[in-house]
């Protein structure tokens, strides 16, 4: 075994041991009523985060290069001067970088798709069994309320749902952190967290599948364009889309409005209350 | 002669029946305690068919003077109605919790989510939305329980999200 591989194996074993020990510890202190995040799901999340990070690192350089070339193309007033030999050369260079980007994506996306699907499927199974088959809508509501005192507008946590304007790897890293520290979370927040992650995975999975379908087509078109040296609007659109998926979209942060402020002096409990 | 006697008998009967019919005007006072007494009196005099309308009037009266103690007034009124046999225990709980509790009565069910809730998810969410507006009235406008209403609103959003995920997972398993 090579030293590097051995180190990785040791690290993996340590991680698994830590997660198992963590699982036993949390079972000792609080008896979990629902098990939505077994160690397999936690490990899937961690892996998805590192695969996403690898893909981002690979693409960051090529996307940066594309941005620079596009800037140069615009500054050289090539827009509308496509017959100029210098501009044609620039367009070809942009096309080649674009092909590089598609190549990296084609190479990395299957891994990404695989880990995202693994996480999605394990969560799907858990949600179906724990919340779908073992609970009624009433018990689900009681789980969500969790017997905790009502939260005020100020101490509620922000919603995680969807692409919240952050890097893909960062998003999965955040999910991993939240899940890995789940001993401090109640069933209430775990149910919401599991649902949130599952729906996000569904969306990501569909996006990856669609992107993979498009890559082959886009590569063929660009290879044809290379012989003419043109920049198509579609090319810029694809690059924009990839940037938004991978590196986040700053404008998509949604804040949920809170209720008017106020307080209750004391909570009255009716004998009729359920 | 016979005809005249018959008419007199009929008129007497009609007048007598008019006199015995209870007045179901319902609560008129702007003071909640007085309005509750008026509602109780009308209900005790046989106006049980107007229960819903009286309850609504009482809520409107309480909206005019909102305070946390109003919860107790409504609870005691409903307990009285159940003790008098005007409502079943279940109905009394439904009336109270629909307006004054964070929990949604729409979600009362004996069957699991995959088989029962998911096939009618849209209906359930629509009913929850309606119940949330009753909670807005009961918790926020009548009892000034802003935190309670905020939690109910948050719970509605959480149920919506969790049901979306759970029902997708249930459908994928078929």
């Amino acid at each position: 075994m090579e030293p590097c591989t051995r180190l990785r194996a040791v690290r993996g074993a340590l991680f698994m041991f830590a997660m198992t020990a963590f699982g036993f510890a949390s079972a000792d202190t609080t008896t979990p009523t629902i098990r939505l995040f077994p160690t397999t799901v936690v490990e899937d999340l961690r892996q998805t985060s590192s695969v996403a990070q690898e893909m981002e690192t690979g693409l960051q350089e090529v996307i940066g290069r594309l941005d620079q070339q596009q800037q140069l193309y615009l500054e050289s007033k090539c827009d509308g001067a496509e017959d100029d030999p210098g501009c044609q050369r620039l367009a070809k260079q942009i096309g080649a970088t674009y092909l590089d980007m598609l190549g990296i994506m084609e190479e990395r996306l299957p891994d990404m798709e695989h880990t995202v699907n693994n996480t999605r499927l394990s969560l799907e199974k858990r949600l179906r069994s724990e919340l779908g088959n073992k609970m009624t809508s009433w018990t689900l509501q009681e789980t969500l309320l969790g017997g905790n005192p009502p939260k005020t507008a100020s101490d509620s946590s922000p919603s995680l749902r969807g692409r919240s304007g952050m890097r893909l790897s960062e998003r999965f890293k955040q999910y991993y952190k939240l899940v890995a520290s789940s001993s401090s979370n109640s069933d209430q927040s775990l149910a919401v967290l599991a649902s949130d992650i599952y729906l996000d995975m569904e969306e990501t999975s569909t996006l990856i599948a669609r992107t993979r379908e498009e890559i082959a087509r886009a590569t063929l078109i660009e290879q044809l364009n290379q012989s003419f040296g043109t920049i198509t609007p579609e090319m810029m659109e694809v690059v924009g889309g990839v940037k938004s998926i991978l590196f986040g979209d700053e404008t998509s942060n949604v804040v949920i409005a809170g209720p008017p402020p106020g307080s209750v002096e004391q909570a009255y409990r009716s004998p009729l209350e359920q | 002669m016979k005809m005249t006697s018959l008419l007199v008998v009929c008129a007497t009967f009609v007048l007598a029946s008019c006199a015995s019919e209870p007045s179901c005007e319902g609560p008129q006072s702007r003071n909640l305690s007085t309005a509750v007494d008026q509602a109780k009196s009308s209900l005790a005099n046989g106006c049980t068919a107007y229960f819903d309308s009286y309850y609504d009037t009482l809520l409107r009266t309480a909206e005019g003077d909102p305070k946390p103690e109003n919860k107790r007034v409504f609870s005691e009124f409903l307990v009285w109605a159940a003790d008098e046999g005007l409502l079943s225990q279940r109905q009394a709980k439904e009336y109270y919790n629909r307006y004054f509790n964070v929990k949604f009565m729409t979600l009362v069910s004996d069957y699991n989510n995959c088989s029962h809730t998911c096939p009618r998810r849209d209906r359930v969410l629509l009913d929850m939305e309606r119940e949330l507006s009753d909670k807005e009235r009961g918790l926020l406008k009548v009892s000034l329980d802003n935190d309670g209403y905020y939690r109910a609103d948050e719970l509605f959003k959480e149920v919506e999200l969790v049901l979306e995920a759970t029902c997708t997972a249930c459908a994928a398993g078929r």
Side-chain angles (χ1 to χ4, degrees), chain B residues 11-23:
Chain B
T12 316
F13 181 75
V14 168
L15 283 171
S17 54
C18 278
S20 66
E21 194 164 292
S23 158

Side-chain angles (χ1 to χ4, degrees), chain A residues 124 128 131-133 135-138 141-142 144-145 151 156 188 195 259-261 264 268 270 272-274, chain B residues 72 75 78 93 96-97 101 103-105 107 109 111-114 145-146 150-151 155 162 165 169 172-173:
Chain A
E124 187 174 277
R128 187 166 55 239
L131 305 185
N133 289 326
M135 282 193 187
T136 66
S137 45
W138 186 260
Q141 167 169 243
E142 295 200 312
L144 290 173
L145 278 170
K151 285 195 281 182
S156 65
Q188 159 209 8
S195 304
V264 185
Y268 165 70
S270 159
L272 297 169
E273 205 164 298
Q274 287 200 313
Chain B
R72 185 192 302 274
S75 170
L78 290 167
K93 282 180 179 170
Y96 182 81
N97 290 297
N101 193 1
K103 286 184 194 171
F104 284 83
M105 298 306 285
L107 295 177
S109 167
Y111 305 106
N112 77 48
N113 288 317
C114 280
D145 184 358
N146 293 17
Y150 174 77
R151 186 66 192 101
L155 179 64
V162 174

Side-chain angles (χ1 to χ4, degrees), chain A residues 3 10 30 46 48 51 54 69 125 129 133 145-147 200 231 239 244 254 260 262 271:
Chain A
V10 169
T30 52
R46 194 192 60 81
T48 311
V51 171
E54 275 171 32
Q69 287 170 334
K125 206 171 140 194
S129 105
N133 289 326
L145 278 170
D200 195 14
I231 301 170
V239 176
S244 137
V254 181

Side-chain angles (χ1 to χ4, degrees), chain A residues 59-76:
Chain A
L59 281 173
Q60 203 153 21
E61 187 270 324
V62 81
I63 285 179
R65 197 158 19 112
L66 255 178
D67 282 344
Q68 278 178 359
Q69 287 170 334
Q70 198 190 354
Q71 181 85 7
L72 186 64
Y73 188 83
L74 290 173
E75 280 169 4
S76 312

Side-chain angles (χ1 to χ4, degrees), chain B residues 41-85:
Chain B
S41 161
S42 296
L43 289 166
N45 284 329
C47 299
T48 46
Y50 294 88
F51 189 90
D52 279 345
S53 146
Y54 292 171
Y55 196 71
D56 187 65
T57 308
L58 292 177
L59 284 167
R60 215 177 316 124
T61 307
E63 280 175 64
D65 184 16
K67 51 191 172 202
E69 300 88 83
N70 285 345
K71 265 190 193 181
R72 185 192 302 274
V73 176
F74 276 90
S75 170
E76 284 169 1
F77 170 65
L78 290 167
V79 168
W80 171 85
D83 290 345
E84 292 295 307

Side-chain angles (χ1 to χ4, degrees), chain A residues 124 128 198-199 202, chain B residues 118 121 163-173:
Chain A
E124 187 174 277
R128 187 166 55 239
Y198 173 66
L199 291 173
E202 275 266 309
Chain B
C118 291
R121 183 160 58 108
L163 276 185
E164 189 187 344
T166 305
C167 294
T168 310
C170 291

